[in-house]
Amino acid sequence: MAVDYTVIVVYLAGMLAMGWWGMRRARSKSEFLVAGRRLGPAMYSGTMAAIVLGGASTIGGVGLGYQYGLSGAWMVFAIGLGLLALSIFFSARIARLKVYTVSEMLDLRYGGRAGVISGVVMWAYTLMLAVTSTIAYATIFDVLFDMNRTLAIVLGGSIVVAYSTLGGMWSITLTDMVQFVVKTIGVLLLLLPIAVVKAGGFSEMKAKLPTEYFDPLGIGGETIFTYVLIYTFGMLIGQDIWQRVFTARSDTTAKWGGTVAGTYCLVYAVAGAVIGTAAKVMYPTLPSADTAFATIVKDELPVGVRGLVLAAALAAVMSTSSGALIACATVANNDIWSKLRGAVKRDGEERDEVKDNRVFILVMGIAVICTAIALNNVVEALTVAYNLLVGGLLVPILGGLLWKRGTAQGALASVVVGGVAVIGLMATYGILANEPVYYGLLSSLAVYVVVSLATPATDAAVLAAWRERLAGRVAEPLSEPVPAHQ
């Protein structure tokens, strides 16, 4: 394993080095939180694909392939569909808004009265997303070093917190681009063909497995519908995804770069399902489907290649973890704390916004690591996160973008009723049940429409300012650079 260890150690050291390099570029709020809104198509596509394809998409995607065959691709496929829909229909408008968070968009659209409550819901979602990604370090480091679970979470989480805190979005962008390349080589170009060959090829796989393993709808229509509802729609409104849209240097880059990333996700989805199906042929009686990825990597890959593929899994986890972490910190600082404490400037004092956001990433990172150590069930945590996001925020966000009659009162009622309904129904039906997100979303929609129609329309001046933003005719406020002595 010495060669594999060397590959992993070099990879982790490179992540920290890029964090240090990114720190030298992040000298304003815009550069720290959204990479100066300067990413071109190639880098934008790579980093967007990196953040949406995390440990759940890689390790979980292979596990679903092991359990259901080719139809196990639907979870990651739904993520790709969501990214395509976001990129084609909404990303250009989102990029032109020149904001930093989803809640800022709601404030602009509804007149400044929806931000804090929506910020709390978004913060809970991004926190749980970061936690579930951080827990996945335990699986990877256990395969690599037979490491204690807590130590693995602390080690992996600390590296992500370190480079994210140092350079913000610049560091995360640079590391995500490397992670995208490593994932492409490790999973698509190495693990996929090796797994198929080791399983005897597709003809042997078909001969040894039931026919439903090759049925595209074998996982079940209700499951596919739920994946689309949660993950496809979740891609449209998540702060972690929007914050990447904000990094595009133009609305054209956001649209077409995101389309490329979404297409890549569809390919990645099929690859994971095929790898899992091949693993089922080789290891038909694994105790858990989620161990399929680690087992095939550990037992079937040659030295060096094994290290690279495990680095790819680590890259998948780190990219999602770092993206969720900066999103969580951005929401906590800009949407919640800054509004609770008052104006950004107080008594004529100039606040160092980069330093403030850096502190919040560090604090949120520590909170994420501690929560990940205490929490065991990744699936339940992720389900809670997406149920809250979709049930509480989907309607007011898409309603604000698509329906000019929507009002601040309708948006607030929608967030509260949808969020409370999801939480209550999860307590009644169970966290993993489908009903909470179904009924929560319907109640959110009904309340949004009824309350909006029953209250006065949004002020004409607010809507005029909103249209100016959507048209890209309002420049981003200048952010002061970090003083040289800091």
Side-chain angles (χ1 to χ4, degrees):
M1 293 285 288
V3 176
D4 297 326
Y5 292 163
T6 302
V7 172
I8 297 297
V9 170
V10 169
Y11 167 75
L12 293 176
M15 295 300 99
L16 290 174
M18 288 188 178
W20 183 262
W21 187 86
M23 182 176 66
R24 301 170 63 88
R25 300 198 63 169
R27 305 194 60 81
S28 71
K29 179 181 179 180
S30 176
E31 289 174 334
F32 190 82
L33 293 182
V34 291
R37 308 189 196 272
R38 294 206 300 262
L39 298 193
M43 186 165 282
Y44 178 85
S45 297
T47 56
M48 181 62 89
I51 187 177
V52 300
L53 296 173
S57 301
T58 304
I59 299 170
V62 171
L64 287 171
Y66 182 89
Q67 190 172 359
Y68 298 104
L70 297 186
S71 66
W74 271 105
M75 183 186 79
V76 184
F77 207 81
I79 291 173
L81 292 176
L83 186 51
L84 284 172
L86 173 71
S87 301
I88 294 170
F89 299 113
F90 299 106
S91 63
R93 282 185 283 179
I94 292 170
R96 288 195 293 264
L97 289 174
K98 303 296 183 187
V99 296
Y100 293 100
T101 68
V102 174
S103 295
E104 284 184 51
M105 166 262 167
L106 291 173
D107 278 348
L108 281 171
R109 169 60 182 81
Y110 295 111
R113 287 173 287 177
V116 174
I117 294 177
S118 63
V120 170
V121 175
M122 189 64 77
W123 173 79
Y125 157 73
T126 53
L127 179 71
M128 284 296 99
L129 187 62
V131 165
T132 55
S133 301
T134 304
I135 291 173
Y137 295 128
T139 302
I140 299 169
F141 282 113
D142 178 56
V143 175
L144 280 170
F145 309 115
D146 194 24
M147 187 180 289
N148 172 269
R149 177 183 183 275
T150 299
L151 183 59
I153 289 171
V154 171
L155 176 61
S158 297
I159 292 171
V160 170
V161 172
Y163 72 70
S164 300
T165 302
L166 285 172
M169 187 60 82
W170 267 124
S171 294
I172 293 171
T173 296
L174 293 170
T175 53
D176 277 1
M177 197 62 201
V178 173
Q179 289 157 359
F180 169 73
V181 173
V182 171
K183 275 193 287 193
T184 301
I185 296 172
V187 175
L188 297 185
L189 301 184
L190 291 176
L191 183 57
L192 175 61
I194 289 173
V196 172
V197 170
K198 291 278 188 178
F202 283 103
S203 58
E204 188 70 13
M205 290 162 63
K206 286 185 176 181
K208 290 187 175 181
L209 293 174
T211 55
E212 55 264 27
Y213 263 72
F214 301 91
D215 179 359
L217 304 179
I219 199 170
E222 185 178 354
T223 300
I224 293 171
F225 178 76
T226 303
Y227 282 157
V228 170
L229 187 63
I230 293 178
Y231 295 112
T232 300
F233 284 108
M235 286 295 107
L236 298 180
I237 58 174
Q239 169 67 25
D240 51 323
I241 309 303
W242 277 40
Q243 199 155 343
R244 293 310 172 96
V245 175
F246 300 149
T247 65
R249 71 183 179 199
S250 68
D251 51 8
T252 302
T253 297
K255 182 175 182 178
W256 296 112
T259 301
V260 171
T263 304
Y264 178 91
C265 292
L266 302 183
V267 175
Y268 200 88
V270 175
V274 171
I275 293 168
T277 305
K280 183 67 176 179
V281 172
M282 291 182 276
Y283 309 99
T285 57
L286 287 178
S288 169
D290 286 338
T291 63
F293 180 89
T295 303
I296 195 171
V297 169
K298 194 172 185 179
D299 294 349
E300 302 297 336
L301 299 186
V303 173
V305 173
R306 178 171 50 202
L308 184 59
V309 173
L310 286 171
L314 200 56
V317 175
M318 283 186 159
S319 57
T320 300
S321 181
S322 59
L325 176 58
I326 193 172
C328 178
T330 302
V331 170
N333 185 21
N334 292 269
D335 293 336
I336 301 173
W337 176 246
S338 65
K339 290 181 180 178
L340 293 178
R341 78 178 295 277
V344 175
K345 297 178 183 179
R346 181 169 291 178
D347 299 328
E349 176 190 2
E350 290 281 349
R351 295 192 60 81
D352 184 346
E353 294 184 88
V354 172
K355 181 180 177 181
D356 286 351
N357 282 291
R358 189 171 277 142
V359 168
F360 266 86
I361 290 179
L362 180 60
V363 171
M364 289 298 108
I366 294 171
V368 164
I369 292 172
C370 293
T371 307
I373 292 170
L375 208 60
N376 286 317
N377 197 314
V378 180
V379 176
E380 288 191 357
L382 194 63
T383 302
V384 170
Y386 271 97
N387 281 355
L388 273 174
L389 177 71
V390 174
L393 291 179
L394 178 67
V395 170
I397 292 172
L398 292 189
L401 289 170
L402 300 174
W403 190 41
K404 66 180 182 180
R405 186 60 182 82
T407 66
Q409 295 89 339
L412 284 171
S414 178
V415 172
V416 173
V417 171
V420 170
V422 164
I423 293 171
L425 289 166
M426 282 192 292
T428 302
Y429 287 98
I431 289 176
L432 299 180
N434 294 328
E435 288 85 356
V437 72
Y438 293 168
Y439 299 140
L441 188 56
L442 287 173
S443 63
S444 177
L445 176 61
V447 168
Y448 179 72
V449 173
V450 170
V451 174
S452 291
L453 292 175
T455 51
T458 304
D459 185 82
V462 172
L463 287 177
W466 167 253
R467 286 192 290 270
E468 288 291 302
R469 284 274 192 164
L470 279 181
R473 290 193 286 266
V474 178
E476 178 182 7
L478 294 177
S479 182
E480 293 294 325
V482 181
H485 66 276
Q486 295 180 358

